[in-house]
């Protein structure tokens, strides 16, 4: 088992002046009075800069402001202080601020950052949010650079500092533990999604997934094309047949000791390692981005790691179908009919609607393995990006109680999802002349008809579908994140598993 994961962020306690790092981060809460002894001491150590910045409005606690000043004299060990504005009513919002600090620290060659966990807030969630944010900001992938581009100060030392009693320290440690499990897992998911498609083939993806979760005690089974053929998974095999790279289906099981009965959460993630569109080929512009068409699968791998690392008391099965969607002499054609593992037949009218095909077989397989509640995460449709932009993921599913549970998990985790409709009529757009279903429903309501297609494979189980086509990838670097994969949904899925007591009984 991996031992050092929880060492990514340190927890220490003591007086603020004794925090021994280059940059100390001090949260200032919205509406907080700064005429206190704490701020008086900080003001003195910054030679009056703190009060000046606050009274002149250079730093405003009600916004996302950040203000950095040098610390002078011997009262504080740290060399600089950063004030960051935090809304005590929405602690998750401090995550981007914590990320920005780490990104800024890196560009200024500051290697040790300590965050002071103070204030009259729930220290557990505050510490978790800070930890997740710092880890998010520390992500800087240089694996494929050489020479000067490769080095760079990419190993910040990050710590959280507690001021008072031991009770607080225990709370902060618990939050940091959750934050580290989730933050490092989200970064592993980002790393996988950024991986170039010539290197992250379905076989390589399967081995990486195995290595990532096995360290946390997750049981892994990798089905190859022979296995899938025996099980009749014609949809996964159909999509894969145009590629020289064989498909894989990864099954990851988290089985907490002593939990025999009860619900089984099934997490399914789209794992298309590259989506050319197949014979219905995509335009070449930005086609390179289709290397992240396995972002949903990466999120499931990341969530399985976090769920197991936190030893969450809920049986969970993660399933990721992995394929490459290529044109070629052996590729499926528009017009082909494929038969799924559950027996349903699909007339493929567009080979670029491949995600729903592989997910159809994967959802069916999850049911075969005995899951009671389903969630899938997929970079499924451009239509979802048109509907919601890059601001929120699309959420679909049934029954509404289960969809609301997922919405609650996302809200708690600070990830934006928006519930979109799944009326019965959408399924009418998927009727085929010659088979049970077609795989595209026309231009109207493209994200909804894709979800309706998936519904046909859920066997009536509680099921939620999250379309992350717009949220799994950012095209331009931002102050809090580098360009590339976001690791979206690792947090929400982990939160969903940790909320299991709230949904296990009533769904
Ligand atoms: N992987 C794409 C969806 C996608 C688009 C993901 C943009 C991320 C960013 C998916 O396989 C796809 O090609 N969908 C088609 C469906 C259509 C053929 C019905 C689409 O959205 O155009
Ligand atoms: Mn496609
Ligand atoms: Zn795709």
């Amino acid at each position: 088992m991996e031992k050092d994961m929880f060492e990514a962020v340190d927890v220490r306690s003591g007086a603020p002046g004794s925090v021994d790092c280059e940059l100390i981060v001090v949260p200032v809460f919205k509406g907080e009075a700064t005429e206190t002894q704490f701020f008086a001491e900080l003001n003195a150590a910054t030679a009056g800069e703190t009060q000046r910045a606050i009274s002149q409005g250079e730093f405003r606690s009600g916004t996302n402001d950040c203000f950095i000043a040098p610390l002078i004299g011997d009262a504080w060990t740290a060399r600089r202080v950063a004030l960051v504005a935090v809304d005590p009513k929405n602690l998750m919002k401090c995550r981007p601020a914590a990320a920005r600090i780490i990104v800024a620290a890196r560009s200024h060659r500051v290697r040790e950052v300590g965050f002071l966990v103070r204030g009259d807030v729930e220290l557990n969630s505050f510490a978790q949010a800070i930890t997740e944010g710092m880890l998010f900001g520390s992500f800087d992938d240089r694996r494929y650079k050489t020479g000067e581009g490769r080095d760079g100060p990419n190993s910040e030392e990050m710590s959280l500092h507690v001021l008072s009693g031991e009770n607080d320290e225990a709370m902060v440690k618990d939050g940091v533990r959750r934050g580290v499990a989730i933050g490092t897992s989200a970064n592993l998911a980002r790393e996988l999604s950024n991986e170039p498609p010539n290197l992250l083939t379905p076989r390589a993806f399967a081995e990486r997934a195995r290595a990532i979760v096995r360290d946390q005690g997750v049981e892994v089974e990798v089905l190859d094309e022979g296995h899938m053929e025996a099980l009749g998974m014609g949809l996964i095999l159909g999509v894969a047949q145009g590629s020289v790279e064989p498909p894989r289906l990864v099954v990851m099981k988290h089985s907490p000791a002593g939990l025999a009965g009860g619900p089984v959460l099934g997490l399914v993630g789209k794992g298309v390692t590259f989506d050319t569109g197949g014979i219905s080929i995509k335009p070449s512009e930005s086609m390179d981005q289709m290397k992240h068409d396995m972002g949903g699968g990466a999120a499931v791998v990341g969530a399985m790691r976090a769920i197991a690392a936190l030893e969450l008391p809920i049986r969970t099965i993660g399933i990721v179908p992995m394929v490459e969607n290529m044109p070629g002499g052996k590729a499926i054609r528009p017009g082909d009919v494929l038969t799924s593992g559950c027996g349903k037949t699909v007339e493929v009218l567009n080979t670029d609607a491949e995600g729903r095909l592989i997910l159809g077989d994967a959802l069916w397989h999850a049911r075969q393995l005995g899951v009671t509640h389903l969630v899938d995460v997929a970079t499924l449709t451009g239509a979802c990006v048109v509907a919601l932009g890059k601001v929120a993921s699309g959420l679909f599913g049934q029954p509404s109680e289960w969809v609301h549970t997922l919405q609650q998990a996302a809200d708690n985790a600070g990830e934006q999802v928006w519930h979109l409709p799944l009326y019965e009529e959408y399924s009418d757009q998927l009727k085929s002349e010659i088979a049970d279903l077609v795989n595209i429903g026309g231009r109207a309501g493209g994200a909804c008809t894709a979800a309706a297609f998936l519904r046909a494979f859920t066997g009536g189980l509680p099921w939620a579908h999250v379309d992350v086509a717009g949220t799994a990838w950012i095209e331009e670097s931002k102050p809090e994140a580098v360009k590339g994969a976001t690791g979206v949904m690792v947090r929400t899925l982990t939160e969903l598993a940790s909320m299991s007591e709230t949904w296990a009984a009533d769904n």
Side-chain angles (χ1 to χ4, degrees):
M1 281 241 201
E2 196 181 357
K3 282 269 151 52
D4 55 355
M5 167 172 132
F6 291 107
E7 284 164 21
V9 177
D10 220 16
V11 179
R12 298 172 211 156
S13 62
S18 70
V19 172
D20 185 12
C21 51
E22 288 169 77
L23 177 70
I24 176 170
V25 187
V26 173
V28 182
F29 295 94
K30 191 175 180 171
E32 178 179 14
T34 50
E35 300 82 26
T36 59
Q37 196 193 338
F38 174 79
F39 279 102
E41 284 172 11
L42 180 59
N43 193 41
T46 55
E49 274 296 283
T50 305
Q51 272 316 323
R52 187 199 57 73
I54 292 173
S55 55
Q56 293 186 350
E58 186 175 335
F59 174 81
R60 279 173 296 188
S61 63
T63 62
N64 275 332
D65 276 5
C66 172
F67 174 77
I68 300 187
L71 288 161
I72 318 175
D74 304 327
W76 291 50
T77 313
R79 289 204 283 106
R80 274 162 213 279
V81 61
L83 305 182
V84 289
V86 174
D87 180 357
K89 293 211 181 70
N90 193 346
L91 292 175
M92 272 301 163
K93 277 230 166 107
C94 80
R95 213 165 51 194
R100 275 198 295 274
I101 295 269
I102 298 296
V103 172
R106 181 164 59 235
S107 64
H108 290 97
R109 304 256 183 274
V110 171
R111 304 203 44 167
E112 310 154 317
V113 182
F115 208 117
L116 206 60
V117 191
R118 59 177 290 277
D120 188 15
V121 293
E122 222 241 283
L123 292 181
N124 188 311
S125 7
F126 191 30
Q128 181 182 341
I130 295 167
T131 305
E132 283 179 18
M134 287 174 118
L135 285 166
F136 192 84
S138 73
F139 183 78
D140 179 26
D141 200 342
R142 297 164 183 270
R143 283 167 303 153
Y144 296 110
K145 292 192 183 283
T146 65
E148 269 180 31
R150 186 164 183 115
D151 5 284
N154 56 355
S155 56
E156 292 83 17
E157 260 187 54
M158 300 178 288
S159 50
L160 271 66
H161 297 264
V162 197
L163 292 178
S164 42
E166 277 174 31
N167 215 3
D168 286 359
E169 188 171 335
M171 295 268 282
V172 169
K173 279 197 164 141
D174 185 57
V176 168
R177 179 171 164 273
R178 300 173 61 82
V180 167
I182 294 171
T184 55
S185 299
N187 282 349
L188 283 167
R190 293 166 82 188
E191 196 174 290
L192 284 171
S193 289
N194 284 352
E195 206 67 74
N198 60 328
L199 300 178
L200 197 84
T201 59
R203 283 180 294 174
F205 187 13
E207 285 319 310
R208 290 281 287 275
R210 191 206 295 275
I212 286 171
V213 301
R214 188 183 46 197
D215 282 349
Q216 305 304 325
V218 173
E219 182 198 326
V220 184
E221 193 190 357
V222 178
L223 308 194
D224 63 17
E225 59 276 33
H227 274 101
M228 285 187 262
E229 213 163 323
L231 292 166
M233 298 192 192
L235 302 186
I236 297 179
L237 292 167
V239 174
Q241 78 191 36
S243 171
V244 296
E245 291 293 338
R248 291 290 181 265
L249 183 69
V250 172
V251 177
M252 297 164 280
K253 286 188 185 155
H254 164 64
S255 317
L259 257 190
V264 182
L265 179 61
L267 306 177
V268 178
K270 173 175 174 181
V272 176
T273 61
F274 195 70
D275 182 12
T276 64
I279 297 296
S280 315
I281 198 161
K282 288 180 181 295
S284 53
E285 198 187 303
S286 304
M287 202 203 265
D288 61 286
Q289 280 185 19
M290 283 301 118
K291 71 174 185 177
H292 87 280
D293 210 15
M294 33 57 71
V300 167
V301 173
M304 289 303 297
R305 175 179 184 266
I307 289 167
L310 293 171
E311 300 173 351
L312 298 181
I314 171 79
R315 291 194 288 161
T316 311
I317 304 183
I319 297 191
V320 184
M322 301 169 176
V323 300
E324 185 180 52
N325 187 23
M326 294 290 257
K330 289 193 174 156
I332 49 170
R333 295 148 285 251
D336 282 4
V337 172
L338 304 174
T339 304
S340 65
C342 68
K344 287 192 175 160
T345 54
V346 181
E347 183 185 5
V348 178
L349 292 185
N350 189 317
T351 64
D352 198 10
E354 84 297 340
R356 61 196 77 182
L357 294 173
I358 66 168
L359 290 170
D361 270 344
L363 289 164
W364 167 74
H365 191 62
R367 285 195 279 132
Q368 297 293 104
L369 297 177
V371 311
T372 59
H373 294 70
L374 278 166
V375 181
D376 78 77
V377 180
T379 46
L380 203 64
T381 65
C384 190
V385 192
V386 173
L388 301 175
K390 304 190 131 272
V391 175
S393 308
L395 171 63
F396 301 84
Q398 60 186 40
S400 58
E401 289 79 7
W402 182 235
V403 177
H404 292 154
T405 301
L406 196 113
Q407 176 84 58
Q408 189 61 56
D411 291 351
N412 294 349
E415 293 190 310
Q416 305 193 136
V417 299
W418 194 260
H419 188 183
L420 293 167
L422 195 45
Y423 296 112
E424 276 307 321
E425 287 93 325
Y426 291 120
S427 300
D428 297 342
Q429 288 172 242
L430 298 172
K431 289 193 172 136
S432 165
E433 285 299 317
I434 63 164
D436 297 331
L437 291 161
V438 292
N439 76 331
I440 50 166
R443 277 174 61 83
C448 304
T449 52
F453 183 93
L454 298 180
R455 172 170 58 189
F457 296 87
T458 59
L461 285 184
W463 155 73
H465 156 60
V466 188
D467 192 332
V468 294
T471 49
W473 187 264
I474 50 174
E475 267 149 78
E476 291 305 331
S477 289
K478 297 198 249 179
E480 65 269 20
V482 289
K483 173 181 168 172
T486 60
V488 71
M489 287 300 133
V490 171
R491 296 180 186 89
T492 297
L493 295 178
T494 309
E495 175 65 20
L496 180 70
S498 61
M499 283 163 55
S500 64
E501 282 125 68
T502 69
W503 54 261
D506 31 275
N507 275 284

